[in-house]
PDB file of all heavy atoms in Angstrom:
ATOM      1  N   LEU A  64      59.331  94.052  86.473  1.00 98.00           N
ATOM      2  CA  LEU A  64      60.550  94.210  87.306  1.00 98.00           C
ATOM      3  C   LEU A  64      61.620  94.990  86.539  1.00 98.00           C
ATOM      4  O   LEU A  64      62.831  94.944  86.826  1.00 98.00           O
ATOM      5  CB  LEU A  64      61.065  92.835  87.761  1.00 98.00           C
ATOM      6  CG  LEU A  64      60.206  92.262  88.902  1.00 98.00           C
ATOM      7  CD1 LEU A  64      60.630  90.812  89.176  1.00 98.00           C
ATOM      8  CD2 LEU A  64      60.316  93.110  90.208  1.00 98.00           C
ATOM      9  N   GLY A  65      61.174  95.748  85.541  1.00 98.00           N
ATOM     10  CA  GLY A  65      62.041  96.734  84.944  1.00 98.00           C
ATOM     11  C   GLY A  65      62.911  96.308  83.791  1.00 98.00           C
ATOM     12  O   GLY A  65      63.855  96.989  83.408  1.00 98.00           O
ATOM     13  N   ILE A  66      62.599  95.069  83.264  1.00 98.00           N
ATOM     14  CA  ILE A  66      63.419  94.630  82.154  1.00 98.00           C
ATOM     15  C   ILE A  66      62.548  94.551  80.921  1.00 98.00           C
ATOM     16  O   ILE A  66      61.441  93.978  80.907  1.00 98.00           O
ATOM     17  CB  ILE A  66      63.989  93.196  82.456  1.00 98.00           C
ATOM     18  CG1 ILE A  66      64.990  93.324  83.601  1.00 98.00           C
ATOM     19  CG2 ILE A  66      64.648  92.630  81.215  1.00 98.00           C
ATOM     20  CD1 ILE A  66      65.449  92.009  84.148  1.00 98.00           C
ATOM     21  N   SER A  67      63.007  95.138  79.830  1.00 95.00           N
ATOM     22  CA  SER A  67      62.278  95.021  78.555  1.00 95.00           C
ATOM     23  C   SER A  67      62.569  93.690  77.907  1.00 95.00           C
ATOM     24  O   SER A  67      63.700  93.364  77.601  1.00 95.00           O
ATOM     25  CB  SER A  67      62.685  96.204  77.652  1.00 95.00           C
ATOM     26  OG  SER A  67      62.415  95.831  76.283  1.00 95.00           O
ATOM     27  N   PRO A  68      61.533  92.892  77.657  1.00 89.00           N
ATOM     28  CA  PRO A  68      61.718  91.526  77.131  1.00 89.00           C
ATOM     29  C   PRO A  68      62.481  91.516  75.794  1.00 89.00           C
ATOM     30  O   PRO A  68      63.098  90.570  75.364  1.00 89.00           O
ATOM     31  CB  PRO A  68      60.321  90.969  76.946  1.00 89.00           C
ATOM     32  CG  PRO A  68      59.415  91.915  77.581  1.00 89.00           C
ATOM     33  CD  PRO A  68      60.086  93.212  77.814  1.00 89.00           C
ATOM     34  N   ARG A  69      62.376  92.634  75.048  1.00 87.00           N
ATOM     35  CA  ARG A  69      63.055  92.703  73.768  1.00 87.00           C
ATOM     36  C   ARG A  69      64.504  93.171  73.899  1.00 87.00           C
ATOM     37  O   ARG A  69      65.283  93.074  72.919  1.00 87.00           O
ATOM     38  CB  ARG A  69      62.278  93.626  72.840  1.00 87.00           C
ATOM     39  CG  ARG A  69      61.054  92.892  72.294  1.00 87.00           C
ATOM     40  CD  ARG A  69      60.063  93.705  71.539  1.00 87.00           C
ATOM     41  NE  ARG A  69      58.730  93.097  71.630  1.00 87.00           N
ATOM     42  CZ  ARG A  69      58.359  91.985  70.981  1.00 87.00           C
ATOM     43  NH1 ARG A  69      59.211  91.403  70.141  1.00 87.00           N
ATOM     44  NH2 ARG A  69      57.184  91.496  71.142  1.00 87.00           N
ATOM     45  N   SER A  70      64.875  93.644  75.082  1.00 92.00           N
ATOM     46  CA  SER A  70      66.269  94.075  75.267  1.00 92.00           C
ATOM     47  C   SER A  70      67.173  92.930  75.719  1.00 92.00           C
ATOM     48  O   SER A  70      68.425  93.055  75.786  1.00 92.00           O
ATOM     49  CB  SER A  70      66.327  95.184  76.305  1.00 92.00           C
ATOM     50  OG  SER A  70      66.119  94.665  77.588  1.00 92.00           O
ATOM     51  N   VAL A  71      66.567  91.795  76.080  1.00 96.00           N
ATOM     52  CA  VAL A  71      67.371  90.629  76.463  1.00 96.00           C
ATOM     53  C   VAL A  71      67.210  89.593  75.386  1.00 96.00           C
ATOM     54  O   VAL A  71      66.123  89.439  74.806  1.00 96.00           O
ATOM     55  CB  VAL A  71      66.937  90.048  77.860  1.00 96.00           C
ATOM     56  CG1 VAL A  71      67.286  91.047  78.948  1.00 96.00           C
ATOM     57  CG2 VAL A  71      65.441  89.789  77.937  1.00 96.00           C
ATOM     58  N   ASP A  72      68.299  88.833  75.155  1.00 93.00           N
ATOM     59  CA  ASP A  72      68.164  87.892  74.029  1.00 93.00           C
ATOM     60  C   ASP A  72      67.929  86.459  74.594  1.00 93.00           C
ATOM     61  O   ASP A  72      67.617  85.576  73.776  1.00 93.00           O
ATOM     62  CB  ASP A  72      69.362  87.963  73.102  1.00 93.00           C
ATOM     63  CG  ASP A  72      70.652  87.760  73.805  1.00 93.00           C
ATOM     64  OD1 ASP A  72      70.692  87.755  75.067  1.00 93.00           O
ATOM     65  OD2 ASP A  72      71.719  87.700  73.093  1.00 93.00           O
ATOM     66  N   ARG A  73      67.989  86.320  75.899  1.00 97.00           N
ATOM     67  CA  ARG A  73      67.802  84.939  76.420  1.00 97.00           C
ATOM     68  C   ARG A  73      66.989  84.980  77.705  1.00 97.00           C
ATOM     69  O   ARG A  73      67.021  85.974  78.413  1.00 97.00           O
ATOM     70  CB  ARG A  73      69.154  84.283  76.681  1.00 97.00           C
ATOM     71  CG  ARG A  73      70.026  84.150  75.452  1.00 97.00           C
ATOM     72  CD  ARG A  73      71.249  83.297  75.702  1.00 97.00           C
ATOM     73  NE  ARG A  73      72.001  83.784  76.916  1.00 97.00           N
ATOM     74  CZ  ARG A  73      73.059  83.137  77.369  1.00 97.00           C
ATOM     75  NH1 ARG A  73      73.447  82.048  76.825  1.00 97.00           N
ATOM     76  NH2 ARG A  73      73.722  83.629  78.425  1.00 97.00           N
ATOM     77  N   GLY A  74      66.299  83.881  78.021  1.00 98.00           N
ATOM     78  CA  GLY A  74      65.549  83.834  79.255  1.00 98.00           C
ATOM     79  C   GLY A  74      65.065  82.469  79.518  1.00 98.00           C
ATOM     80  O   GLY A  74      65.754  81.468  79.266  1.00 98.00           O
ATOM     81  N   SER A  75      63.815  82.343  80.033  1.00 98.00           N
ATOM     82  CA  SER A  75      63.333  81.012  80.502  1.00 98.00           C
ATOM     83  C   SER A  75      63.244  80.012  79.290  1.00 98.00           C
ATOM     84  O   SER A  75      63.259  78.834  79.567  1.00 98.00           O
ATOM     85  CB  SER A  75      61.920  81.211  81.148  1.00 98.00           C
ATOM     86  OG  SER A  75      61.094  82.014  80.407  1.00 98.00           O
ATOM     87  N   TYR A  76      63.104  80.536  78.083  1.00 98.00           N
ATOM     88  CA  TYR A  76      63.060  79.623  76.957  1.00 98.00           C
ATOM     89  C   TYR A  76      64.368  78.797  76.890  1.00 98.00           C
ATOM     90  O   TYR A  76      64.363  77.595  76.744  1.00 98.00           O
ATOM     91  CB  TYR A  76      62.889  80.429  75.694  1.00 98.00           C
ATOM     92  CG  TYR A  76      62.985  79.695  74.344  1.00 98.00           C
ATOM     93  CD1 TYR A  76      61.842  79.078  73.802  1.00 98.00           C
ATOM     94  CD2 TYR A  76      64.161  79.639  73.636  1.00 98.00           C
ATOM     95  CE1 TYR A  76      61.879  78.394  72.594  1.00 98.00           C
ATOM     96  CE2 TYR A  76      64.232  78.994  72.431  1.00 98.00           C
ATOM     97  CZ  TYR A  76      63.072  78.369  71.901  1.00 98.00           C
ATOM     98  OH  TYR A  76      63.169  77.714  70.695  1.00 98.00           O
ATOM     99  N   GLN A  77      65.537  79.514  76.996  1.00 98.00           N
ATOM    100  CA  GLN A  77      66.815  78.816  76.942  1.00 98.00           C
ATOM    101  C   GLN A  77      66.988  77.937  78.193  1.00 98.00           C
ATOM    102  O   GLN A  77      67.611  76.870  78.146  1.00 98.00           O
ATOM    103  CB  GLN A  77      67.970  79.897  76.879  1.00 98.00           C
ATOM    104  CG  GLN A  77      68.155  80.446  75.490  1.00 98.00           C
ATOM    105  CD  GLN A  77      67.054  81.450  75.065  1.00 98.00           C
ATOM    106  OE1 GLN A  77      66.317  81.950  75.905  1.00 98.00           O
ATOM    107  NE2 GLN A  77      66.938  81.685  73.752  1.00 98.00           N
ATOM    108  N   LEU A  78      66.419  78.402  79.313  1.00 98.00           N
ATOM    109  CA  LEU A  78      66.530  77.581  80.520  1.00 98.00           C
ATOM    110  C   LEU A  78      65.840  76.259  80.354  1.00 98.00           C
ATOM    111  O   LEU A  78      66.404  75.196  80.679  1.00 98.00           O
ATOM    112  CB  LEU A  78      65.884  78.379  81.679  1.00 98.00           C
ATOM    113  CG  LEU A  78      66.059  77.834  83.090  1.00 98.00           C
ATOM    114  CD1 LEU A  78      67.531  77.933  83.541  1.00 98.00           C
ATOM    115  CD2 LEU A  78      65.171  78.546  84.063  1.00 98.00           C
ATOM    116  N   LEU A  79      64.628  76.294  79.810  1.00 98.00           N
ATOM    117  CA  LEU A  79      63.829  75.039  79.615  1.00 98.00           C
ATOM    118  C   LEU A  79      64.504  74.152  78.575  1.00 98.00           C
ATOM    119  O   LEU A  79      64.347  72.914  78.697  1.00 98.00           O
ATOM    120  CB  LEU A  79      62.389  75.413  79.239  1.00 98.00           C
ATOM    121  CG  LEU A  79      61.592  75.983  80.382  1.00 98.00           C
ATOM    122  CD1 LEU A  79      60.414  76.766  79.903  1.00 98.00           C
ATOM    123  CD2 LEU A  79      61.088  74.813  81.262  1.00 98.00           C
ATOM    124  N   LEU A  80      65.178  74.726  77.623  1.00 97.00           N
ATOM    125  CA  LEU A  80      65.767  73.876  76.607  1.00 97.00           C
ATOM    126  C   LEU A  80      67.176  73.395  77.016  1.00 97.00           C
ATOM    127  O   LEU A  80      67.826  72.705  76.272  1.00 97.00           O
ATOM    128  CB  LEU A  80      65.884  74.642  75.271  1.00 97.00           C
ATOM    129  CG  LEU A  80      64.544  74.879  74.553  1.00 97.00           C
ATOM    130  CD1 LEU A  80      64.732  75.640  73.258  1.00 97.00           C
ATOM    131  CD2 LEU A  80      63.817  73.554  74.307  1.00 97.00           C
ATOM    132  N   GLY A  81      67.605  73.826  78.188  1.00 96.00           N
ATOM    133  CA  GLY A  81      68.938  73.442  78.693  1.00 96.00           C
ATOM    134  C   GLY A  81      70.049  74.072  77.933  1.00 96.00           C
ATOM    135  O   GLY A  81      71.185  73.629  77.954  1.00 96.00           O
ATOM    136  N   GLN A  82      69.755  75.218  77.330  1.00 97.00           N
ATOM    137  CA  GLN A  82      70.822  75.909  76.524  1.00 97.00           C
ATOM    138  C   GLN A  82      71.586  76.931  77.326  1.00 97.00           C
ATOM    139  O   GLN A  82      72.624  77.453  76.922  1.00 97.00           O
ATOM    140  CB  GLN A  82      70.144  76.660  75.345  1.00 97.00           C
ATOM    141  CG  GLN A  82      69.576  75.708  74.307  1.00 97.00           C
ATOM    142  CD  GLN A  82      68.773  76.402  73.239  1.00 97.00           C
ATOM    143  OE1 GLN A  82      68.551  77.576  73.252  1.00 97.00           O
ATOM    144  NE2 GLN A  82      68.275  75.584  72.255  1.00 97.00           N
ATOM    145  N   ALA A  83      71.097  77.284  78.537  1.00 98.00           N
ATOM    146  CA  ALA A  83      71.802  78.206  79.390  1.00 98.00           C
ATOM    147  C   ALA A  83      71.351  77.962  80.824  1.00 98.00           C
ATOM    148  O   ALA A  83      70.280  77.383  81.035  1.00 98.00           O
ATOM    149  CB  ALA A  83      71.499  79.653  78.983  1.00 98.00           C
ATOM    150  N   SER A  84      72.194  78.348  81.786  1.00 98.00           N
ATOM    151  CA  SER A  84      71.909  78.076  83.172  1.00 98.00           C
ATOM    152  C   SER A  84      71.243  79.307  83.878  1.00 98.00           C
ATOM    153  O   SER A  84      71.306  80.416  83.335  1.00 98.00           O
ATOM    154  CB  SER A  84      73.238  77.781  83.950  1.00 98.00           C
ATOM    155  OG  SER A  84      73.997  78.938  83.960  1.00 98.00           O
ATOM    156  N   VAL A  85      70.684  79.095  85.060  1.00 98.00           N
ATOM    157  CA  VAL A  85      70.104  80.159  85.786  1.00 98.00           C
ATOM    158  C   VAL A  85      71.169  81.228  86.040  1.00 98.00           C
ATOM    159  O   VAL A  85      70.908  82.440  85.925  1.00 98.00           O
ATOM    160  CB  VAL A  85      69.487  79.671  87.146  1.00 98.00           C
ATOM    161  CG1 VAL A  85      69.078  80.910  88.019  1.00 98.00           C
ATOM    162  CG2 VAL A  85      68.374  78.761  86.945  1.00 98.00           C
ATOM    163  N   THR A  86      72.369  80.787  86.395  1.00 97.00           N
ATOM    164  CA  THR A  86      73.495  81.712  86.642  1.00 97.00           C
ATOM    165  C   THR A  86      73.688  82.622  85.460  1.00 97.00           C
ATOM    166  O   THR A  86      73.920  83.823  85.626  1.00 97.00           O
ATOM    167  CB  THR A  86      74.751  80.900  86.980  1.00 97.00           C
ATOM    168  OG1 THR A  86      74.455  79.964  87.926  1.00 97.00           O
ATOM    169  CG2 THR A  86      75.852  81.856  87.496  1.00 97.00           C
ATOM    170  N   GLU A  87      73.583  82.081  84.296  1.00 98.00           N
ATOM    171  CA  GLU A  87      73.819  82.899  83.069  1.00 98.00           C
ATOM    172  C   GLU A  87      72.604  83.779  82.749  1.00 98.00           C
ATOM    173  O   GLU A  87      72.767  84.851  82.099  1.00 98.00           O
ATOM    174  CB  GLU A  87      74.077  82.010  81.867  1.00 98.00           C
ATOM    175  CG  GLU A  87      75.383  81.241  81.938  1.00 98.00           C
ATOM    176  CD  GLU A  87      75.489  80.109  80.908  1.00 98.00           C
ATOM    177  OE1 GLU A  87      74.638  79.168  80.913  1.00 98.00           O
ATOM    178  OE2 GLU A  87      76.384  80.219  80.051  1.00 98.00           O
TER     179      GLU A  87
END
Side-chain angles (χ1 to χ4, degrees):
L64 285 172
I66 294 170
S67 157
R69 286 170 203 286
S70 74
V71 290
D72 56 354
R73 300 188 306 176
S75 48
Y76 175 86
Q77 283 71 21
L78 189 68
L79 286 158
L80 291 180
Q82 293 173 355
S84 67
V85 174
T86 312
E87 293 168 299

